[in-house]
Amino acid sequence: MKKLVMGGIAMVMAGSALAASVQDVAERYRKAVLAVGQHDANYVDAYYGPAALQEAAVKSKQPLAAIRKDVQAARRDIAQQKAGNPDEALRIEFLSKQLRAVEARIDMLEGKKFSFDEETSLLYDAVSPHHDRAYYEAIVAEVDKLIPGAGPLQERLKTFRAQFVIPKERLKTVFDASIAACRERTARFVELPKNESFVLEFVSNKPWSGYNWYKGNAHSLIQINTEFPIYIERALDLGCHEGYPGHHVYNALLEQELVKKRNWVEFSVYPLYSPMSLIAEGSANYGIKMAFTDDERLDFEQKTLFPLAGLDPALAPKYAQLLKLMAKLSYADNDGAREYLEGRFSKEQAQEWMVNVGLYPPEKSAQRVSFYDANRGYVINYNLGQDMVKAFVERHATATDPAAARVQRWDAFKQLLSSPRLASGLR
């Protein structure tokens, strides 16, 4: 990565015609994203460039048709660029795919309808696999065997899982310990920016369980939604996903390596509905596995988090077994969203699917469908993104020695977190 960064610095300082031309497109891309953000309040997830550009976007509020014209021109210009080295190729590919997604989002804001797969291909550069109900019911049957007793599975599952809810008065203690452990394990392999920091807040009435609001200068606001019960496994899930080595580290490394060291201004703005999100969410989810192996996680939760939460550590192994099995149902989220957003499921049918097929907690099913309404095909970024990041990282772990292979995985993971690679580049 050091060599790659040095090459990037040399490229920018040399002021070659290619660098200047790509830099021009990058500036136009940044302005276009800010302009679209005036029509979609959720679109710009993070921005830490010059305040004057954002102020100008607010003041002018360009019509969508004018923004589209600018984006189309930028797409034509970036298509003419020829890369002189792998760094340039990645940057050109990034801008090309991001601009395509900007245009697709404009189309959607103007009322154009895409199929679920068309939408995710345009916005996230990927298409999720399809599975029918029978595929998931076979997994549900395995869960049914694991949780014996009388009554419907959902009732038995709810009763069993109730033993793993973190009491609200212990949330901060548990999350502080979790995030600290995620950070410590990440810092063994990643040199974090010296000034990096975050603030943790507990909120409610949100369509998500956790969120990282990146503020720039290696600082994040991490929010955890306490509207519904928070199960013990979510402490490490969210600590790693939102913090280390997830969103906080991803954004901090992009800012440090690409914005500050190379002046690649396109990375100072993050449009939520774009290919960046598959990498962001996928790496944040896979980051949990990077920080903790299954055995390490069980050990830490059983010895540290369960006691802090006031839960029975003896139950941890069986709960881990259940969660590992239920993880196989993750793509039910994508398939349910597809059926709902394409009109084949009503809201009630989508909730039924999530409860009985995805084994989602009944009290949270309406919240999940509201997430589909708000973010549509974004759901694929979590599970498909995780699987694609995993495949990319594991390809680099060729050592037979487990410790050496782990270092190789972290090296590949760090490369992904601080480069302009998108879904197409993971295959």
Side-chain angles (χ1 to χ4, degrees):
M1 201 57 214
K2 189 173 183 181
K3 180 180 179 182
L4 190 146
V5 171
M6 292 299 290
I9 294 173
M11 181 183 72
V12 173
M13 291 181 69
S16 68
L18 175 61
S21 181
V22 174
Q23 189 73 2
D24 174 66
V25 173
E27 289 282 8
R28 290 150 62 193
Y29 158 80
R30 179 166 67 172
K31 291 177 181 178
V33 170
L34 294 174
V36 174
Q38 305 313 305
H39 298 268
D40 180 354
N42 296 321
Y43 188 62
V44 180
D45 192 71
Y47 175 66
Y48 46 88
L53 291 182
Q54 196 162 41
E55 292 164 2
V58 172
K59 185 176 181 180
S60 63
K61 194 172 182 179
Q62 288 180 276
L64 287 171
I67 304 170
R68 177 191 280 106
K69 186 176 180 181
D70 291 341
V71 169
Q72 290 173 337
R75 290 187 66 189
R76 288 193 296 270
D77 289 344
I78 201 66
Q80 299 301 313
Q81 304 308 314
K82 302 297 181 184
N85 59 56
D87 291 9
E88 293 172 359
L90 284 175
R91 190 184 188 194
I92 290 167
E93 176 80 357
F94 177 86
L95 282 166
S96 176
K97 293 290 177 65
Q98 291 288 119
L99 284 163
R100 183 182 72 168
V102 175
E103 186 173 355
R105 188 61 184 172
I106 292 171
D107 289 340
M108 293 172 68
L109 290 172
E110 289 192 325
K112 186 170 182 178
K113 303 293 184 183
F114 296 106
S115 72
F116 187 87
D117 290 347
E118 288 171 339
E119 176 187 320
T120 64
S121 177
L122 289 167
L123 294 186
Y124 309 117
D125 194 29
V127 174
S128 178
H130 294 211
H131 300 295
D132 61 16
R133 192 176 185 111
Y135 170 86
Y136 298 110
E137 286 178 339
I139 303 170
V140 170
E142 294 183 56
V143 177
D144 188 73
K145 293 177 184 176
L146 187 64
I147 310 294
L153 173 59
Q154 266 295 350
E155 290 182 10
R156 285 179 278 135
L157 195 59
K158 184 176 182 179
T159 299
F160 180 72
R161 295 197 72 195
Q163 302 172 93
F164 305 98
V165 173
I166 306 171
K168 282 199 172 184
E169 67 273 13
R170 297 182 183 236
L171 280 173
K172 187 176 187 309
T173 299
V174 172
F175 270 86
D176 283 348
S178 297
I179 295 174
C182 295
R183 186 187 187 282
E184 187 274 327
R185 287 170 172 270
T186 299
R188 295 178 192 174
F189 300 94
V190 179
E191 185 177 350
L192 299 171
K194 289 184 171 53
N195 62 325
E196 63 88 12
S197 63
F198 69 90
V199 170
L200 177 66
E201 289 184 354
F202 294 97
V203 298
S204 61
N205 195 30
K206 303 293 182 182
W208 35 257
S209 55
Y211 212 104
N212 178 296
W213 303 96
Y214 190 69
K215 302 298 184 179
N217 200 29
H219 180 72
S220 292
L221 168 63
I222 297 175
Q223 293 183 324
I224 307 298
N225 187 2
T226 62
E227 183 177 359
F228 296 105
I230 298 180
Y231 299 99
I232 188 66
E233 75 276 9
R234 297 300 285 158
L236 277 186
D237 284 352
L238 293 171
C240 290
H241 182 101
E242 307 298 346
Y244 307 85
H247 293 320
H248 175 65
V249 174
Y250 175 64
N251 284 295
L253 291 183
L254 287 180
E255 180 182 23
Q256 175 180 271
E257 301 298 333
L258 301 185
V259 179
K260 292 185 174 179
K261 290 185 179 179
R262 299 194 190 187
N263 194 33
W264 286 10
V265 298
E266 62 269 33
F267 287 94
S268 67
V269 64
Y270 172 19
L272 188 64
Y273 307 113
S274 74
M276 280 186 77
S277 284
L278 184 133
I279 304 299
E281 301 294 0
S283 62
N285 265 3
Y286 189 61
I288 303 166
K289 297 284 191 181
M290 292 295 300
F292 293 86
T293 66
D294 290 346
D295 289 343
E296 289 170 346
R297 176 171 184 160
L298 176 58
D299 183 71
F300 179 74
E301 289 181 331
Q302 192 170 26
K303 293 179 179 177
T304 302
L305 297 188
F306 271 65
L308 286 175
L311 307 180
D312 183 0
L315 297 174
K318 185 173 182 179
Y319 192 46
Q321 184 183 0
L322 170 67
L323 294 174
K324 190 172 184 178
L325 185 54
M326 289 179 62
K328 296 179 181 180
L329 295 168
S330 70
Y331 279 87
D333 203 18
N334 304 11
D335 289 315
R338 182 188 297 106
E339 296 299 303
Y340 173 65
L341 294 169
E342 293 186 351
R344 289 183 293 276
F345 277 178
S346 65
K347 185 166 289 191
E348 292 72 24
Q349 288 173 315
Q351 290 179 221
E352 184 277 332
W353 172 276
M354 288 310 301
V355 171
N356 294 316
V357 178
L359 296 185
Y360 222 71
E363 68 273 13
K364 294 188 69 175
S365 61
Q367 181 199 49
R368 195 57 182 167
V369 175
S370 73
F371 186 91
Y372 301 158
D373 286 326
N375 298 293
R376 299 184 57 81
Y378 193 90
V379 295
I380 77 159
N381 294 323
Y382 299 99
N383 42 38
L384 180 61
Q386 176 178 328
D387 288 346
M388 294 181 75
V389 169
K390 177 184 178 183
F392 174 82
V393 170
E394 291 296 329
R395 282 200 300 271
H396 293 78
T398 57
T400 55
D401 175 66
R406 191 169 199 173
V407 170
Q408 289 176 333
R409 282 192 289 273
W410 271 103
D411 286 344
F413 192 70
K414 285 185 290 184
Q415 180 189 46
L416 183 60
L417 291 186
S418 51
S419 70
R421 200 178 300 270
L422 298 178
S424 296
L426 300 185
R427 298 186 180 99

